[in-house]
Amino acid sequence: MKKRRKSTLFAIRGDINRKTYVSGIVLIICLAVVFWSLLSYGNLVNRTFLPTPDQVLRQFAIQLQSSTFWHHVGISIFRVGAGFLLACLLGIPLGILAGTFRFAEALLVPPTEFIRYMPATAFIPLIMVWAGIGEWAKVIVIFIGCFFQLMLMVADNTRSVSNDLLQTSYTLGANRWQAIEKVLIPALLPDLMNTLRLIIGWAWTYLVVAELVAASSGLGFSIMKAQRFLNTDQIFVGIIAIGLLGLMTDRTFAYCHRRFFPWLEGGR
């Protein structure tokens, strides 16, 4: 029995039960905390640079009671949400277009492939010239970080839809636009949901970069402000807060995937 469990555990794409899955998550978190504790409590790293876990927890509790902290959280959520939504509004239709028609692929994909390798930070001087230093400048940084990757991934999702489905719809009397509306778009939705789940994660990673643009609020701003005064416990709190917010959005997309496409494997 034990041998069988081992072979299942290390089988390629083998299934494991939920208890084992959760145990693995708890184990890796405990190991990370133990390693952190050894470095900080053991004074292997100066506490100015690596605060102890209890320092971070105390600072987190203090921040949770602060209205300023919640203001930073709210403004960061707005910036990430606005940048991501804008990328979706433009990237999804263009991606479907590029994945459906070869002429659109020829027009859209080559320049997008080129631009996507340019770091979003390189656009910050231009963004400040074009959009100033207000809220939209931060939103545009996140938009640039998401849009080009999203468009290409949606185009790939669209191309991955089986051509047999489209041919079958033509056989049953559908015209071109009916095939797109009734067959192509519904068929790509599960993969599209996974793509959006990935892109929202990237949006959160661009938050700190976006809040370098003359920001006076937001979690990224609070991290940079804490860095100036070597308040590393506050830096940890900001990083953990961004991680938790990102995890919440990820779990939301995972839940939606399970809820809307229950017949498919995935969305864990």
Side-chain angles (χ1 to χ4, degrees), residues 5 12 33 46 81 101 138-139 144 156 188-189 198 229-230:
R5 184 181 297 176
I12 296 174
V33 173
N46 191 308
F101 301 107
K138 287 86 169 166
V139 170
I144 289 174
D156 284 339
L188 71 86
L189 286 179
L198 181 63
F229 301 102
L230 287 178

Side-chain angles (χ1 to χ4, degrees), residues 26 50 71 75 107 115 124-125 140 160 179 197 243 246 253:
V26 172
L50 183 67
H71 172 70
I75 199 69
L107 289 174
I115 296 172
I124 288 178
I140 290 172
S160 69
R197 179 181 171 187
F253 275 97

Side-chain angles (χ1 to χ4, degrees), residues 172-201:
L172 294 173
N175 59 36
R176 181 185 307 159
W177 298 112
Q178 286 174 330
I180 293 172
E181 180 187 357
K182 303 294 185 182
V183 178
L184 184 65
I185 292 177
L188 71 86
L189 286 179
D191 285 341
L192 178 60
M193 182 70 73
N194 284 329
T195 294
L196 294 180
R197 179 181 171 187
L198 181 63
I199 296 296
I200 191 67

Side-chain angles (χ1 to χ4, degrees), residues 76 79-80 121 124 138 141-142 202-213 215 218-224 238-239 242:
S76 291
R79 288 165 180 163
V80 169
T121 50
I124 288 178
K138 287 86 169 166
V141 172
I142 294 172
W202 287 350
W204 280 108
T205 64
Y206 280 107
L207 176 65
V208 176
V209 172
E211 292 180 343
L212 290 175
V213 186
L219 290 170
F221 165 77
S222 67
I223 289 172
M224 300 305 296
I239 293 170
I242 292 173

Side-chain angles (χ1 to χ4, degrees), residues 22-34:
V22 173
S23 297
I25 296 173
V26 172
L27 176 63
I28 196 66
I29 292 173
C30 290
L31 288 175
V33 173
V34 168

